[in-house]
Amino acid sequence: MIQVDFEVTNRCNAKCEFCPRDATPHQGLMSPEVFDASLARTVDYRAQVQQWVKEGIWYDDDPSVQISLCGLGEPLLHRHLISYLEKSKAEGFHTSISSNGSVLTPKKTEQLLTAGMDRIYLNIADEGEKYEEIYHLPYEKTRKYVEHFVKEAKGTDTEVWLVLVDYLGDPEHIKRMTAYWNERGINAIMPIEIMNRGGALFVDEMQYPTYPEVAHAQNMFAEKSIDPLCGAPFAFLFIGYDGLYYLCCSDWRKQASLGSVFDESLGSIIKPKLDYVRTREPVCKNCNLDPANRLADALRDVAEGVESESHIEAVFADIADSSARMSRSLTAIDRQFPDHVSAPKKLIPLNVL
């Protein structure tokens, strides 16, 4: 499955302690002009992927293309969100949004459900005073909005998923929160570990440039002639609010832009993405999703007695298998496009609320 993330906005009304929003160099709203161009590019890319599948060169078993209206911010802050959702659905895309739920008013609930939103991901990792301490949002209002949405979504085709960021590293806390929201009608729960967002978020145990295990991991790949590739930039495509393609959703600092939706297709940026991933510059070297860093984590866990030796083998095998499939496909695919991605010719001004 391929998900194209349209950064409706990277502004947010929350101030989560596990979100490095201060690291983003600029913030704004996606204009209708940028959205329409992004949607057209996504329609074309869906057709291109279907052709690659017919040719037998696509690396994934699921070639479907979906759209997420989110980015790095709170999409419900955008006054054109419903219009964007309607346009996406009109083109036949499974469309989701991600929200903290704090502005999910009854009016917006009705609009989202009427527009046919397929799925909403609600990020609520705690409750009560602790929630307000972590998110800096009023908990009771959020709870009431979410419970209202869950009630109204019953009997519709809209799925409600709860995202539980394990910011405490505590399985028991995840179990308690899961039970809490199960009682309130949400049964699709997605726990996720803390991500350091390409190094934009400081996490004590994710200081990869200082770890000798990273070099060890790279040597292990080299000895087996493995070309380690992260799948995130290719399976989770990212279009910024400003109309620029970015490497992936971990590029919170917006360091790796790859051209504009007005000048480049989604297929034409595969080669530069491969270049970024293979050199690990500037985002990947600090990212916990990077293959070398993932294997380094496994090496450290075994050295500290947290995992057994078989854990290293499992992580290595997983990276080797997925990398081999992607390398064969993407190397063939990037030959279909020019080697050069031009700088964006049309800059989009920042939009204000």
Side-chain angles (χ1 to χ4, degrees), residues 43-282:
V43 169
D44 291 343
Y45 192 63
R46 178 175 57 188
Q48 180 67 78
V49 170
Q50 291 171 351
Q51 181 59 39
W52 287 332
V53 171
K54 290 180 181 178
E55 295 172 4
I57 60 175
W58 187 247
Y59 66 91
D60 196 350
D61 295 333
D62 181 0
S64 62
V65 177
Q66 302 182 2
I67 287 178
S68 169
L69 300 178
C70 184
L72 308 183
E74 172 51 62
L76 291 177
L77 296 179
H78 201 306
R79 69 179 184 273
H80 294 308
L81 177 66
I82 303 303
S83 171
Y84 294 172
L85 172 58
E86 291 172 340
K87 289 180 179 181
S88 178
K89 290 297 298 176
E91 290 292 349
F93 288 103
H94 178 286
T95 309
S96 64
I97 72 166
S98 298
S99 172
N100 59 45
S102 66
V103 289
L104 189 58
T105 63
K107 180 180 179 180
K108 288 180 179 176
T109 289
E110 181 181 2
Q111 291 174 329
L112 291 169
L113 295 176
T114 300
M117 179 181 61
D118 292 286
R119 182 179 296 172
I120 186 170
Y121 294 95
L122 295 165
N123 190 323
I124 307 173
D126 221 311
E127 60 176 306
E129 293 182 0
K130 192 63 177 176
Y131 170 91
E132 296 186 354
E133 177 184 332
I134 298 301
Y135 289 82
H136 297 269
L137 293 171
Y139 178 70
E140 283 304 313
K141 184 173 75 170
T142 300
R143 180 187 61 77
K144 289 178 181 177
Y145 284 164
V146 169
E147 289 182 355
H148 175 76
F149 187 91
V150 171
K151 178 182 177 181
E152 295 300 309
K154 285 184 178 179
T156 73
D157 293 328
T158 300
E159 300 176 358
V160 183
W161 285 57
L162 187 76
V163 179
L164 286 177
V165 179
D166 188 13
Y167 73 98
L168 294 173
D170 181 3
E172 292 303 315
H173 173 72
I174 296 298
K175 289 181 182 178
R176 288 194 300 272
M177 289 302 301
T178 297
Y180 179 88
W181 285 107
N182 284 166
E183 293 174 358
R184 287 157 178 79
I186 302 180
N187 297 311
I189 309 293
M190 188 169 67
I192 61 172
E193 297 180 355
I194 285 285
M195 293 187 288
N196 72 346
R197 307 298 185 181
L201 177 67
F202 181 88
V203 181
D204 285 338
E205 63 271 22
M206 296 181 184
Q207 302 307 301
Y208 298 107
T210 68
Y211 294 163
E213 290 85 359
V214 174
H216 184 183
Q218 291 173 315
N219 288 335
M220 290 175 65
F221 291 133
E223 288 171 2
K224 297 293 184 179
S225 299
I226 302 297
D227 180 17
L229 297 178
C230 175
F234 308 103
F236 299 95
L237 312 181
F238 193 92
I239 303 175
Y241 79 90
D242 51 6
L244 299 183
Y245 298 116
Y246 289 94
L247 181 62
C248 68
C249 64
S250 286
D251 186 11
W252 281 60
R253 295 191 178 106
K254 297 191 180 297
Q255 296 173 287
S257 62
L258 301 143
S260 165
V261 293
F262 295 102
D263 303 312
E264 305 293 342
S265 68
L266 281 161
S268 69
I269 62 172
I270 287 178
K271 179 175 174 52
K273 280 193 175 188
L274 277 167
D275 292 340
Y276 273 122
V277 170
R278 284 172 171 152
T279 63
R280 305 177 70 241
E281 295 288 347

